Amino acid sequence: MTDAAKFTPRVLSGIQPSGGLTLGNYLGAMKRFVEMQDESGLETLYCMVDLHAITVWQDPAALTRNTRELAAGYIAAGLDPAKSILFNQSQVPEHAQLAWIFNCVARMGWMGRMTQWKDKAGKNSENASLGLFAYPALMAADILIYHATHVPVGEDQKQHLELTRDIAMKFNHDYGVDFFPITEPVIEGAATRVMSLRDGSKKMSKSDPSDMSRINMTDDADAIAKKIRKARTDPDPLPATTDGLRDRAEARNLVNIYAALAETSPQAVLEEFGAGTQFGTFKPALAELAVEKLSPISAEMARLMDDPAEIDRMLADGADRAREIAHPILKRTYEIVGMVGA
Ligand code: AQP
């Protein structure tokens, strides 16, 4: 059994630079990253997972821009490079090196059961990249190369984190060691699953072909207001309690977004507006709140993006600091596996 107490409490998480940051990424992940950065006794590492992004085609110029924009988003949202290690995944080669070991630990059947694989590969799985199939083994390596004990993520990543635990347990078992921690997922907050504005059954996603389905962190006030005005809802007004939202995915999503932005509960939002309030009244209030919360972040992102060399310098520094933790863990892994010269 793994003794959790022997591992330094350490947080690792990442976001793919596979498009512009969305409100889903912000509420489901980044906001929690910032809170954890300020919790005492926790070391925090946050990365831009560019190796994950290329599991589906990325235009090279867009990948470069999206990576810098994501770094700017991290800082604009409140991550501080003096407190957290911020870096780009590909600049720490130990991630890919450990991922290869994990490719040899994980089983094909485990990967084939991942819902993200099924969703993204769809009916065309013969034509999907091998990287997309192996994605969860790389994610396990991202986490375990730092012996991270806690991983804040949105609800959609829960299954991948369970697989990370399975890989750690199988490695520890196969080699008769107690080397990798059994990491805890941190799926917390009012909006661990922000849904598409066009379809309440789909999550809000950077790569959704419809820009109207999401709020991008770089959207201006007019775009935010337009997207919320056009967001799909049903004809009924707001109910008195959250029970009344149970079978109303789109309405529930807008109330949840409001609650997460206002840092309150969905029930409190319903009480504030009152049962019977029409979406014609609620939507402009939501748009106003979203603009109030997001515009300082997008303004700061734009300011930081004016100096890409400074972003690159900050990421290079973060990668050096990350490697100081990762390298000894990789070296020890190679020794455990029996590689000569490790
Ligand atoms: N809609 C969402 N609601 C809550 N959390 C979300 N996250 C993503 N979408 C939502 C969380 O954001 C973190 C980073 O996600 P990611 O970029 O690594 O991958 P993803 O989950 O696949 O996000 P996208 O936006 O859907 O990207 P694409 O379109 O490229 O696949 C994770 O913690 C995730 O849970």
Side-chain angles (χ1 to χ4, degrees):
M1 283 303 289
T2 296
D3 174 13
K6 83 176 198 178
F7 296 100
T8 305
R10 190 174 282 147
V11 177
L12 178 287
S13 199
I15 297 183
Q16 299 184 75
S18 47
L21 265 175
T22 70
L23 183 68
N25 299 137
Y26 175 65
L27 293 176
M30 258 161 78
K31 216 161 166 288
R32 194 74 190 96
F33 295 179
V34 177
E35 288 160 8
M36 292 188 93
Q37 165 184 263
D38 296 320
E39 281 173 30
S40 70
L42 276 182
E43 252 178 54
T44 45
L45 295 101
Y46 299 114
C47 52
M48 343 281 128
V49 285
D50 54 354
L51 296 174
H52 281 282
I54 62 164
T55 56
V56 298
W57 168 251
Q58 302 295 329
D59 171 74
L63 181 67
T64 304
R65 185 183 161 80
N66 288 333
T67 304
R68 290 188 180 128
E69 193 175 278
L70 180 53
Y74 275 177
I75 297 171
L79 292 179
D80 176 353
K83 292 187 190 165
S84 291
I85 300 180
L86 307 180
F87 65 100
N88 192 19
Q89 182 191 29
S90 60
Q91 299 312 298
V92 181
E94 287 81 0
H95 287 239
Q97 290 173 291
L98 185 62
W100 182 258
I101 306 272
F102 287 169
N103 281 343
C104 303
V105 172
R107 306 288 94 183
M108 297 280 283
W110 298 1
M111 301 297 186
R113 282 194 286 275
M114 294 295 109
T115 50
Q116 182 169 300
W117 157 252
K118 291 187 210 159
D119 288 349
K120 287 201 170 174
K123 293 193 175 69
N124 201 14
S125 62
E126 288 291 308
N127 209 23
S129 74
L130 188 55
L132 188 66
F133 188 67
Y135 182 114
L138 176 59
M139 181 164 159
D142 298 336
I143 296 164
L144 296 173
I145 196 65
Y146 301 103
H147 277 180
T149 52
H150 296 84
V151 182
V153 283
E155 184 72 40
D156 59 312
Q157 292 297 330
K158 191 168 175 223
Q159 197 186 27
H160 286 164
L161 284 177
E162 279 159 10
L163 196 122
T164 297
R165 293 161 66 93
D166 290 342
I167 289 177
M169 281 190 260
K170 182 160 163 53
F171 182 97
N172 287 347
H173 175 267
D174 289 355
Y175 290 100
V177 290
D178 179 19
F179 184 61
F180 287 116
I182 310 305
T183 306
E184 287 298 327
V186 181
I187 302 174
E188 292 171 350
T192 54
R193 192 161 169 77
V194 178
M195 308 311 285
S196 157
L197 299 179
R198 307 301 302 161
D199 177 350
S201 68
K202 276 171 45 185
K203 75 164 187 151
M204 184 180 285
S205 181
K206 320 179 193 81
S207 55
D208 191 311
S210 165
D211 191 55
M212 292 300 283
S213 70
R214 63 180 160 262
I215 293 175
N216 304 299
M217 295 302 286
T218 50
D219 281 345
D220 63 20
D222 287 348
I224 293 175
K226 182 173 168 204
K227 287 176 179 181
I228 292 177
R229 194 171 61 245
K230 292 197 174 263
R232 221 166 113 183
T233 40
D234 53 53
D236 293 339
L238 289 181
T241 68
T242 50
D243 280 352
L245 291 171
R246 195 168 297 143
D247 298 319
R248 300 173 61 193
E250 282 93 6
R252 185 171 66 239
N253 188 38
L254 296 186
V255 172
N256 284 350
I257 292 174
Y258 191 104
L261 288 169
E263 301 190 351
T264 182
S265 67
Q267 182 58 40
V269 174
L270 295 179
E271 283 162 20
E272 180 187 331
F273 283 87
T277 301
Q278 299 292 337
F279 275 93
T281 306
F282 181 72
K283 282 178 167 180
L286 173 59
E288 196 180 319
L289 178 66
V291 170
E292 180 196 319
K293 297 285 180 181
L294 303 185
S295 59
I297 300 176
S298 63
E300 180 61 2
M301 282 171 76
R303 193 189 67 75
L304 293 164
M305 284 296 282
D306 276 346
D307 190 356
E310 175 54 22
I311 294 179
D312 294 2
R313 195 205 53 71
M314 186 273 296
L315 291 180
D317 177 60
D320 288 345
R321 289 158 62 205
R323 289 197 79 186
E324 280 173 26
I325 305 173
H327 190 71
I329 292 176
L330 182 73
K331 189 170 170 351
R332 181 69 195 122
T333 309
Y334 278 3
E335 283 166 3
I336 291 169
V337 173
M339 287 171 163
V340 173

